[in-house]
Amino acid sequence: MATTTAAAASGIFGIRIQDPSSGAGRVQAKFNFSFGKKKPAPPPKKTKQVLNDGDRLVWFPGANPPEWLDGSMIGDRGFDPFGLGKPAEYLQYDFDGLDQNLAKNVAGELLGVRQESKEINPTPFQPYTEVFGIERFRECELIHGRWAMLGVLGALAVEGLTGIAWQDAGKVELVEGSSYLGQPLPFSLTTLIWIEVLVVGYIEFQRNAELDPEKRIYPGGYFDPLGLGADPEKLDTLKLAEIKHSRLAMIAFLIFALQAAFTGKGPISFLATFSS
């Protein structure tokens, strides 16, 4: 009876009873199980092939890739100098002593280290188990790479057809009104900004409503009008080609930005100075 009363008081007031027989919290923390309803086992997922360090391409000859970049992701070249993709580790501690009748309460001791599972478990609020995990970084890399490919193509096309550098295009719009490739548009600049905000905002809202990590970055359907991804054997090759072009485009646009900041010229006019 006394043990039951002490356990009840401990649960209500948060008092830690120094009773060696009541080690349920310690056992639960160590072996990671609970006394509630058991969740059903998740369905088995497709295993990815892990390559040995000697059988894979790396970003630099002789580079030693980190252990969390095991080559299972398409386009993985083991490049993570700052360790941003390292799995997060969490320390598990026992409960602190909160007995007001003791002169000194002992802090909870370290039980172990826990890492987030590599399996992705979507929830109604977010698609990733770890927000700063490697899967999330891959999605960001692809999205930024696609914008960079559009930006590089747009910068070259605009300067090649109009002679105006990409960094000066906004100045022309403010002075002469909205236009596209030198042709006037029946919209004001303010209207075009609102159209862009609404259209891009709606697309991003729909994309973030998708909780399947694969469909978030490879939706298919209307985004694959030629059906290039219909062949599973060619799909991985296309994914590898896309990530390579994305990385190259991001580097190219960074060079465009530095070039415009230091020389004030666009990419085509800057190359023309070497032939003059």
Side-chain angles (χ1 to χ4, degrees):
M1 182 65 180
T3 306
T4 306
T5 305
S10 175
I12 296 175
F13 298 103
I15 302 173
R16 181 183 177 185
I17 306 299
Q18 301 295 334
D19 185 3
S21 63
S22 58
R26 185 186 301 271
V27 174
Q28 180 179 349
K30 284 186 176 181
F31 295 97
N32 194 20
F33 68 87
S34 61
F35 298 101
K37 184 179 180 181
K38 186 177 181 180
K39 296 182 180 181
K45 295 188 177 182
K46 183 180 179 181
T47 58
K48 297 180 180 180
Q49 183 180 2
V50 179
L51 300 178
N52 297 325
D53 293 344
D55 301 332
R56 57 179 295 196
L57 297 174
V58 291
W59 67 279
F60 187 79
N64 186 21
E67 58 182 7
W68 55 88
L69 296 180
D70 53 10
S72 59
M73 297 182 67
I74 295 178
D76 179 9
R77 296 295 183 260
F79 181 77
D80 190 10
F82 300 106
L84 300 178
K86 184 179 180 180
E89 295 182 348
Y90 302 92
L91 301 180
Q92 287 183 306
Y93 286 89
D94 198 0
F95 294 108
D96 293 339
L98 298 175
D99 191 350
Q100 59 184 353
N101 298 318
L102 297 178
K104 181 180 179 181
N105 285 286
V106 181
E109 60 185 27
L110 179 64
L111 299 178
V113 181
R114 180 177 63 86
Q115 288 187 352
E116 287 290 345
S117 174
K118 294 184 179 181
E119 298 294 334
I120 300 176
N121 300 315
T123 69
F125 300 100
Q126 54 90 21
Y128 298 104
T129 305
E130 180 62 47
V131 178
F132 297 99
I134 190 66
E135 296 288 345
R136 173 65 173 169
F137 287 145
R138 167 49 59 92
E139 177 183 326
C140 294
E141 183 183 27
L142 267 178
I143 297 298
H144 289 111
R146 289 165 180 171
W147 279 113
M149 287 189 286
L150 290 174
V152 169
L153 178 61
L156 295 175
V158 167
E159 186 175 1
L161 296 176
T162 65
I164 301 174
W166 65 273
Q167 69 271 15
D168 297 328
K171 302 176 184 178
V172 178
E173 297 278 338
L174 292 174
V175 175
E176 301 180 1
S178 59
S179 61
Y180 186 75
L181 297 180
Q183 303 299 321
L185 296 176
F187 304 104
S188 64
L189 186 60
T190 304
T191 304
L192 287 177
I193 293 176
W194 276 109
I195 292 175
E196 180 180 358
V197 169
L198 293 176
V199 172
V200 175
Y202 174 77
I203 294 174
E204 281 297 300
F205 178 82
Q206 293 296 324
R207 187 181 68 85
N208 283 280
E210 177 60 59
L211 296 180
D212 185 352
E214 184 71 13
K215 291 183 179 180
R216 284 174 66 91
I217 53 180
Y218 302 110
Y222 295 108
F223 295 94
D224 187 16
L226 302 179
L228 299 178
D231 188 355
E233 296 181 357
K234 295 182 180 180
L235 184 59
D236 288 346
T237 303
L238 294 174
K239 290 180 179 180
L240 178 60
E242 182 185 31
I243 196 66
K244 285 182 176 181
H245 287 92
S246 296
R247 292 165 178 170
L248 181 61
M250 286 188 285
I251 295 175
F253 200 86
L254 176 62
I255 294 175
F256 287 1
L258 295 175
Q259 178 181 277
F262 287 100
T263 66
K265 298 181 179 180
I268 297 180
S269 60
F270 182 78
L271 290 176
T273 58
F274 291 96
S275 61
S276 59

